[in-house]
C-alpha cells in the first residue's frame, strides 16, 4: 500500500497558548500552598542594591528569635556574604545564587524550600536580589512583599520606580539617620509611595540603631 | 531588564515545539505582552531575532500584541479598565490602583500581566 505523505511545503498553525509569567505565578501559588500547609509565613524583601535589606532582616531576627523559628533565603548574584552575616544570628540560611539573573523566581524558591525542615519553621524571610525593577514581574508565593528604600538613593527613587511600590504591602524607608546629611525628606518619600499605592504601610527606619523594628513587625501582622 | 532571559525562554519553547512537530521552517510567531509587565516589546523583538539566527525560525515574522490591563473590584464588582493618570509627577501613564467606581484598593488584575506565546505558523 502507498503511504500518505505530507505534501511538501504544507503550512499550518501550531497553537501554543503558553504564558511564561503565568508559569511562574502558578509555581508561586504552589509555593504558597506548601507554606500554608506548614503554617509558615513568608516575607519577600525587595529593594535596590545596598538599601539595608540584610541589615533589616538581621534586626528583625534579633527581635523575633526565641518567639518564632526563623529561616532565611538569601538571593544574590554571587557570593555568600549576606548568608554568612545572617548565619551569625544562629539562623538557618539557604543561599540562592542567581548568576546573571536579576531576580529570584518561584522555581528557585521551590528548590530552596526543599532544603528546610518545614515542620519546624514559623517564619521565612526571603531577601530578593538588589533591584527595583525585575522582582515585580516574579511573585514567589510569599504572604507579604516588602520594599526597602533608603534616603541615600536620593529624593526621586520612589517616583522613578512606581511599579514595584504598587505591588508592595509594606515599604520601609531606611537610613533616616542620614536624611539631613542627604537633604532628603523621608516624609516626602512616604507621600510618593502613598500616591502610588494608597493601601500600603510605610515605615521609617534606622537599621543601625534598630529604630522602627516594632512598627515593621506590627505592619507585617503575622 | 530580564528581556533577554524571557526571550531565551520564548525561543526555547518555540524551537522545542518545532522540533517535536518536525517543522522545516517557522514562518511567523504571535506573542502577547501585558502592559503591566516590565517586558519591552522592542527589546523582546530584538533578542528573538538574534536568538532565531541559524535556526528554523531564522526568517520568522514576529508579531507582538500589547494587552491592556483590566481589573475587577472585589468590593463593588466593577470590571473594566484601570484609570490612567497622566501625571507629570510620574512622567508616564501610570495605572491607578483604585477602583474608578467605588475607590476601593482591593482589586484583582484580570489582564495586563501576560507574556504569552499564542501560536506560530510553520511549514513542513
Ligand atoms: N547609616 C545607616 N546605614 C545603614 C542603615 N541600614 C543599613 N546600613 C548600611 O548600609 C550598608 C548596606 O547594608 P545591607 O544590609 O548590606 O544592604 P542590602 O540591601 O542587603 O545590600 P545588597 O544585598 O548588597 O543589595 C551597610 O554598610 C549597612 O551597615 C541605616 O539605617 N543607617
Ligand atoms: Mg543584602
Ligand atoms: Zn469598586
Amino acid at each position: 500500500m502507498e503511504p500518505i505523505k505530507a505534501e511538501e511545503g504544507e503550512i499550518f498553525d501550531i497553537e501554543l497558548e503558553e504564558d511564561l509569567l503565568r508559569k511562574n505565578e502558578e509555581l508561586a501559588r504552589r509555593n504558597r500552598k506548601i507554606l500554608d500547609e506548614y503554617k509558615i509565613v513568608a516575607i519577600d524583601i525587595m529593594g535596590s542594591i545596598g538599601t539595608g535589606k540584610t541589615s533589616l532582616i538581621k534586626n528583625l531576627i534579633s527581635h523575633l528569635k526565641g518567639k518564632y523559628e526563623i529561616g532565611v533565603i538569601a538571593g544574590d548574584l554571587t557570593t555568600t556574604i549576606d548568608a554568612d552575616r545572617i548565619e551569625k544570628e544562629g539562623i538557618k540560611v539557604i543561599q540562592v545564587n542567581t548568576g546573571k539573573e536579576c531576580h529570584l523566581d518561584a522555581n528557585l524558591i521551590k528548590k530552596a524550600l526543599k532544603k528546610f525542615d518545614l515542620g519546624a519553621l514559623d517564619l521565612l524571610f526571603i531577601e530578593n536580589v538588589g533591584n527595583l525593577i525585575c522582582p515585580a514581574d516574579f511573585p514567589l508565593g510569599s504572604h507579604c512583599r516588602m520594599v526597602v528604600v533608603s534616603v541615600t538613593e536620593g529624593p526621586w527613587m520612589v517616583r522613578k520606580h512606581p511599579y514595584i511600590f504598587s505591588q508592595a504591602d509594606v515599604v520601609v524607608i531606611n537610613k533616616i539617620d542620614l536624611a539631613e546629611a542627604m537633604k532628603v525628606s523621608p516624609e516626602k518619600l512616604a507621600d510618593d509611595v502613598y500616591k502610588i499605592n494608597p493601601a500600603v504601610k510605610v515605615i521609617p527606619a534606622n537599621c543601625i540603631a534598630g529604630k522602627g523594628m516594632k512598627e515593621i513587625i506590627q505592619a507585617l501582622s503575622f | 531588564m530580564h528581556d533577554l532571559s524571557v526571550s531565551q525562554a520564548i525561543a526555547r519553547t518555540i524551537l522545542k515545539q518545532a522540533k517535536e512537530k518536525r517543522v522545516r521552517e517557522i514562518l511567523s510567531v504571535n506573542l502577547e505582552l501585558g502592559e503591566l509587565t516590565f517586558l519591552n516589546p522592542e527589546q523582546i523583538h530584538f533578542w528573538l531575532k538574534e536568538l532565531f539566527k541559524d535556526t528554523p525560525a531564522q526568517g520568522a515574522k514576529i508579531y507582538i500584541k500589547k494587552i491592556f490591563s483590566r481589573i475587577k473590584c472585589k468590593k463593588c464588582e466593577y470590571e473594566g479598565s484601570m484609570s490612567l493618570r497622566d501625571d507629570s509627577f510620574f512622567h508616564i501613564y501610570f495605572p491607578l490602583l483604585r477602583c474608578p467606581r467605588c475607590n476601593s484598593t482591593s482589586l484583582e488584575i484580570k489582564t495586563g500581566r501576560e507574556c504569552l506565546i499564542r501560536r506560530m505558523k510553520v511549514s513542513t
Side-chain angles (χ1 to χ4, degrees):
Chain A
M1 200 170 41
E2 191 69 16
I4 299 168
K5 287 188 200 139
E7 266 178 59
E8 189 80 50
E10 197 178 346
I11 292 174
F12 58 97
D13 281 348
I14 299 176
E15 303 289 331
L16 286 113
E17 308 278 341
E18 195 159 324
D19 194 318
L20 299 166
L21 289 182
R22 186 139 308 157
K23 255 188 180 166
N24 180 73
E25 277 163 27
E26 260 157 40
L27 276 178
R29 260 194 296 278
R30 242 180 278 168
N31 287 344
R32 176 64 164 270
K33 228 180 121 202
I34 293 169
L35 291 165
D36 285 342
E37 263 165 35
Y38 286 96
K39 297 198 168 54
I40 302 166
V41 175
I43 297 152
D44 178 11
I45 297 158
M46 307 176 287
S48 311
I49 297 168
T51 53
K53 298 180 292 300
T54 308
S55 309
L56 175 64
I57 292 171
K58 280 186 66 162
N59 257 287
L60 292 175
I61 287 171
S62 71
H63 276 77
L64 296 166
K65 195 160 64 169
K67 236 165 124 188
Y68 300 96
E69 257 335 292
I70 304 171
V72 175
I73 297 175
D76 246 320
L77 297 181
T78 62
T79 79
T80 57
I81 294 171
D82 282 1
D84 297 342
R85 283 165 67 196
I86 295 165
E87 242 164 13
K88 283 208 191 103
E89 302 283 326
I91 295 289
K92 166 112 175 161
V93 186
I94 298 299
Q95 166 84 26
V96 180
N97 282 342
T98 55
K100 283 177 287 184
E101 213 49 73
C102 44
H103 56 268
L104 288 174
D105 63 33
N107 188 40
L108 290 168
I109 297 302
K110 183 182 126 195
K111 284 189 198 157
L113 284 179
K114 289 199 178 123
K115 302 204 170 152
F116 284 100
D117 172 11
L118 294 175
L121 273 192
D122 305 312
L123 258 183
L124 179 67
F125 292 110
I126 303 170
E127 179 173 343
N128 218 312
V129 177
N131 182 333
L132 263 191
I133 302 166
C134 307
D137 269 348
F138 294 89
L140 306 176
S142 61
H143 297 80
C144 176
R145 303 199 91 184
M146 181 151 71
V147 178
V148 183
V149 291
S150 75
V151 297
T152 52
E153 295 134 71
W156 300 289
M157 204 56 191
V158 175
R159 291 193 203 183
K160 284 180 181 172
H161 301 88
Y163 283 96
I164 197 133
F165 295 99
S166 73
Q167 298 202 351
D169 302 296
V170 177
V171 173
V172 173
I173 297 178
N174 194 27
K175 308 193 189 178
I176 49 169
D177 53 305
L178 301 175
E180 250 186 66
M182 295 299 299
K183 296 195 169 62
V184 171
S185 153
E187 293 76 28
K188 279 210 179 107
L189 283 174
D191 283 348
D192 288 358
V193 175
Y194 286 128
K195 253 188 198 166
I196 293 161
N197 185 350
V200 79
K201 293 172 196 155
V202 183
I203 297 151
N206 171 351
C207 287
I208 300 252
K211 267 193 196 150
M213 297 307 130
K214 288 215 180 74
E215 290 81 354
I216 294 168
I217 290 166
Q218 217 166 22
L220 292 173
S221 59
F222 37 79
Chain B
M1 289 281 268
H2 43 272
D3 301 83
L4 171 58
S5 60
V6 169
S7 300
Q8 281 167 332
I10 294 172
R12 216 181 300 128
T13 309
I14 285 171
L15 294 171
K16 189 169 156 243
Q17 270 289 324
K19 202 169 169 192
E20 275 168 20
K21 300 253 156 66
R22 295 170 194 283
V23 162
R24 191 166 52 86
E25 196 185 351
I26 298 167
L27 303 171
S28 67
V29 173
N30 287 72
L31 308 175
E32 296 177 14
L33 291 183
E35 68 170 340
L36 298 179
T37 69
F38 280 98
L39 299 166
N40 178 343
E42 235 176 276
Q43 285 187 39
I44 299 272
H45 193 275
F46 169 82
W47 283 118
L48 284 179
K49 278 273 172 217
E50 280 302 306
L51 294 164
F52 282 164
K53 273 182 189 159
D54 302 318
T55 75
Q58 162 123 340
K61 287 216 165 64
I62 300 164
Y63 299 105
I64 303 179
K65 184 173 159 191
K66 180 172 166 183
I67 306 294
F68 291 96
S69 52
R70 286 180 77 77
I71 48 163
K72 185 173 178 188
C73 176
K74 289 182 188 165
K75 265 224 178 93
C76 79
E77 305 276 298
Y78 164 88
E79 211 177 317
S81 56
M82 288 171 143
S83 2
L84 292 175
R85 168 154 86 188
D86 181 15
D87 191 334
S88 58
F89 180 79
F90 293 112
H91 300 278
I92 49 165
Y93 280 100
F94 179 69
L96 215 58
L97 291 175
R98 267 190 194 282
C99 171
R101 194 156 78 191
C102 78
N103 224 20
S104 160
T105 52
S106 172
L107 309 173
E108 184 193 340
I109 294 175
K110 302 288 270 188
T111 64
R113 304 245 329 121
E114 296 74 8
C115 172
L116 181 71
I117 310 169
R118 177 67 75 186
R119 74 177 71 79
M120 60 199 206
K121 193 182 279 299
V122 299
S123 76
T124 48

